[in-house]
């Protein structure tokens, strides 16, 4: 975004929030205005950052040797009735980084809801799945690793009782349409996203299960046949029906499901009382339905602990096992899935250069730092200069262990530790992974809530080492969030 457009948009949004705040006060509606200013400096020993300094930060930290990322957040929330059932929320979160050259909105959204039902539009932070969003290695669906994708949709944001079950069965889910932009092989592709989760139990022990479905569809590029984007084509995407969207010319590959589909099957058990919560969870990924099988042993398996009391140093703990080597290997090689890749939508499960799902997979943008012969594709080149040159996600067959902890050091200091061990096997095509490559990723962060109200300082150090290379990096940031009058 050009600087003058950034300033104009930020100014207009600021006026909008201020006007809405004043109007809400005049009308007698309660509201909650938030302002936050932050800046984060990063530096590394290589030309890129250690993984956990850049990953899972919603694309706000640029992956280079040194940079400064500065953000301004404005949010407001109104309760529109006396009971607080109806509400309106909106906000912006603007950033500047890449040595002051890039201005962008990480968030710019409006949400309106009734109790747990919500209509939403714009860019907004979201992490899918039931794992701890702060300590997990990352969801197979949306992990917060990439800049939020612009979307509109409807959601049941939290578990709500299903009628006639006496509170024993609850449900939540969403239905969303998004825009993937032009910085990809298929320009202007759409995102379809939906999910449904069910939970059983209303006491200490609860069991849940759910499914998430993501599909990239539509879009065009001048050197490919025009893709079908009618309403009936949209319904085929929603239902996962076999149809011809113009992408398959060879009869042996028909019938075919249009678009680039992937999903997550998730289930787990939670137990909690007033002091503690324990959570066992499993995510199994699939693409085009081939991996919805008992033969599939690929999974993210984790256990989480939450300390709900004020006392005690340890606040949260997460342990995870990751395995994606199976990748439907009971089928012939030429028809196997390649997680996050697709033969038509060659960019795959990536947005603005970052993988949308687990950051433990490696795309070309990241892989160029590990291998001399890997470079990101220029998606504007002719298709013949891209197709057949290998996948964009060069490493999606991994196994590993991950641990994350959040704990307090005294009344005003909080610390986070991430330690990840992986064995990387590339994909079925990539020649750089003829043997497995071991890699460690670590992060230690500390945040101090200073005596100045609303002002905190954060520092971090990260080390990566292994067959993919060694790297060290540092993070230092400050944040100010004043208490505004209501």
């Amino acid at each position: 975004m050009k600087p003058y457009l950034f300033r104009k948009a930020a100014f207009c949004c600021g006026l909008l929030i201020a006007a809405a705040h004043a109007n809400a006060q005049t009308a007698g509606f309660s509201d909650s205005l938030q302002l936050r200013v932050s800046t984060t400096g990063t530096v590394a020993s290589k030309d890129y950052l250690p993984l956990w300094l850049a990953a899972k930060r919603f694309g706000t930290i640029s992956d280079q040797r040194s940079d400064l990322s500065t953000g301004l957040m404005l949010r407001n929330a109104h309760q529109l009735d006396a009971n607080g059932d109806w509400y309106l929320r909106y906000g912006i979160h603007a950033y500047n980084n890449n040595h002051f050259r890039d201005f962008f909105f990480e968030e710019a959204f409006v949400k309106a809801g009734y109790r747990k039902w919500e209509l939403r539009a714009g860019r907004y932070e979201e992490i899918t799945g039931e794992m701890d969003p702060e300590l997990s290695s990352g969801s197979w669906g949306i992990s917060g690793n990439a800049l939020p994708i612009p979307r509109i949709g409807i959601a049941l944001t939290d578990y709500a009782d299903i009628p006639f079950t006496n509170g024993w069965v609850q449900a939540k889910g969403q239905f969303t349409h998004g825009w993937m932009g032009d910085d990809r092989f298929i320009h202007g592709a759409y995102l379809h996203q939906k999910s449904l989760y069910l939970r059983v139990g209303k006491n200490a022990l609860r069991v849940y299960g759910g499914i998430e479905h993501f599909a990239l569809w539509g879009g065009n590029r001048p050197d490919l046949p025009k893709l079908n984007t009618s309403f009936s084509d949209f319904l085929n995407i929603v239902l996962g029906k076999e149809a011809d969207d113009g992408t398959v010319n060879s009869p042996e590959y028909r019938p075919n499901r249009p678009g680039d589909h992937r999903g997550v099957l998730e289930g787990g058990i939670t137990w909690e009382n007033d002091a503690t919560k324990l959570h066992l969870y499993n995510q199994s990924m699939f693409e085009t339905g081939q991996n919805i099988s008992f033969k599939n042993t690929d999974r993210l398996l984790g256990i989480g602990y939450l300390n709900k009391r004020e006392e005690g140093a340890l606040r949260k703990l997460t342990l995870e096992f990751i395995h994606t080597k199976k990748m439907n290997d009971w089928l012939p090689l030429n028809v196997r899935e390649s997680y996050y890749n697709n033969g038509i939508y060659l960019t795959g499960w990536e947005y603005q250069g970052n993988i949308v799902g687990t950051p433990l997979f490696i795309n070309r943008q990241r892989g160029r730092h590990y291998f001399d012969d890997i470079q990101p594709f220029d998606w504007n080149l002719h298709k013949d200069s891209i197709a057949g040159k290998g996948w964009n996600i060069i490493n999606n067959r991994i196994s590993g262990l991950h641990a994350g902890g959040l704990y307090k050091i005294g009344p005003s200091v909080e610390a986070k530790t991430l330690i990840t061990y992986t064995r990387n096997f590339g994909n079925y095509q990539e020649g750089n992974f003829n043997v497995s490559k071991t890699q460690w990723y670590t992060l230690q962060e500390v945040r101090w809530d200073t005596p100045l109200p609303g002002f905190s300082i954060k520092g971090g150090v990260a080390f990566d080492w292994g067959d993919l290379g060694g790297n060290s990096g540092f993070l230092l940031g400050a944040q100010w969030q004043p208490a505004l009058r209501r």
Side-chain angles (χ1 to χ4, degrees), residues 243-255:
D244 180 14
D245 64 348
T247 63
V248 177
N249 296 320
S250 302
E252 64 267 25
Y253 292 109
R254 295 176 181 167

Side-chain angles (χ1 to χ4, degrees), residues 241-458:
K241 289 181 60 177
E242 294 179 343
D244 180 14
D245 64 348
T247 63
V248 177
N249 296 320
S250 302
E252 64 267 25
Y253 292 109
R254 295 176 181 167
N256 175 64
R257 287 184 176 85
D260 175 18
H261 295 257
R262 58 187 46 89
V264 180
L265 292 171
E266 182 170 6
I269 302 172
T270 62
W271 181 89
E272 66 179 310
N273 57 24
D274 293 338
T276 301
K277 180 178 179 179
L278 296 175
H279 180 202
L280 177 67
Y281 55 91
N282 178 85
Q283 281 194 344
S284 297
M285 61 197 309
F286 64 90
E287 304 213 5
T288 67
Q290 291 180 359
N291 255 14
I292 305 179
S293 169
F294 288 110
K295 299 177 182 178
N296 179 19
T297 57
D298 291 342
R299 65 188 68 256
L300 172 69
L301 180 65
I303 185 169
Y305 162 80
L306 171 64
N307 179 4
K308 300 168 67 175
R309 300 168 298 180
E310 291 297 323
E311 63 269 16
L314 182 62
R315 312 311 301 162
K316 295 192 292 186
L317 180 67
T318 292
L319 302 173
E320 292 180 336
F321 165 74
I322 307 106
H323 185 274
T324 64
K325 282 186 62 184
K326 191 71 173 178
M327 206 177 291
N328 58 314
D329 62 5
W330 58 87
L331 295 174
L333 184 62
N334 65 324
V335 295
R336 291 181 192 173
E337 298 167 345
S338 183
Y339 294 139
Y340 292 1
N341 286 314
N342 183 262
I344 298 297
Y345 292 82
L346 296 180
T347 310
W349 196 221
E350 175 190 290
Y351 182 68
Q352 298 292 315
N354 289 320
I355 292 176
V356 179
T358 174
L360 298 182
F361 287 177
I362 299 172
N363 63 356
R364 287 179 168 268
Q365 188 73 23
R366 181 80 180 179
R368 66 193 168 107
H369 301 303
Y370 300 143
F371 305 107
D372 294 336
D373 59 340
I374 293 292
Q375 290 297 323
F377 289 128
D378 181 350
W379 302 118
N380 293 314
L381 293 177
H382 190 274
K383 65 179 180 63
D384 294 338
S385 299
I386 302 174
K389 305 294 194 229
W391 295 114
N392 185 41
I393 312 300
I394 65 171
N395 179 45
N396 55 16
R397 300 175 65 239
I398 67 171
S399 62
L401 298 171
H402 170 82
L406 187 70
Y407 45 95
K408 299 199 72 173
I409 306 173
S412 59
V413 177
E414 186 176 79
K416 179 174 71 173
T417 302
L418 301 179
I419 302 174
T420 311
Y421 165 79
T422 62
R423 295 180 64 202
N424 302 272
F425 300 85
N427 58 45
Y428 284 121
Q429 293 182 346
E430 202 56 50
N432 289 299
F433 292 86
N434 294 324
V435 296
S436 67
K437 297 185 181 296
T438 298
Q439 189 74 5
W440 288 83
Y441 310 108
T442 65
L443 172 70
Q444 179 62 59
E445 275 190 4
V446 178
R447 192 193 77 222
W448 174 39
D449 294 326
T450 72
L452 182 64
F455 185 72
S456 63
I457 296 174
K458 180 170 63 176

Side-chain angles (χ1 to χ4, degrees), residues 184-222:
R184 52 195 311 108
F185 182 72
I186 300 293
H187 302 162
Y190 301 126
L191 167 68
H192 169 66
Q193 175 187 351
K194 62 177 177 287
S195 66
L196 177 63
Y197 282 77
L198 296 176
R199 187 175 68 182
V200 178
K202 62 177 182 178
N203 298 317
L205 184 66
R206 294 180 174 180
V207 179
Y208 73 90
I211 184 170
E212 297 176 304
H213 175 215
F214 307 92
L216 306 180
W217 68 286
N220 281 289
R221 53 179 293 132

Side-chain angles (χ1 to χ4, degrees), residues 4-31:
Y4 76 91
L5 292 177
F6 171 83
R7 290 193 294 268
K8 184 176 180 180
F11 178 72
C12 292
C13 288
L15 288 179
L16 176 64
I17 290 175
H21 178 74
N23 181 69
Q25 296 289 355
T26 303
F29 299 148
S30 64
D31 72 347

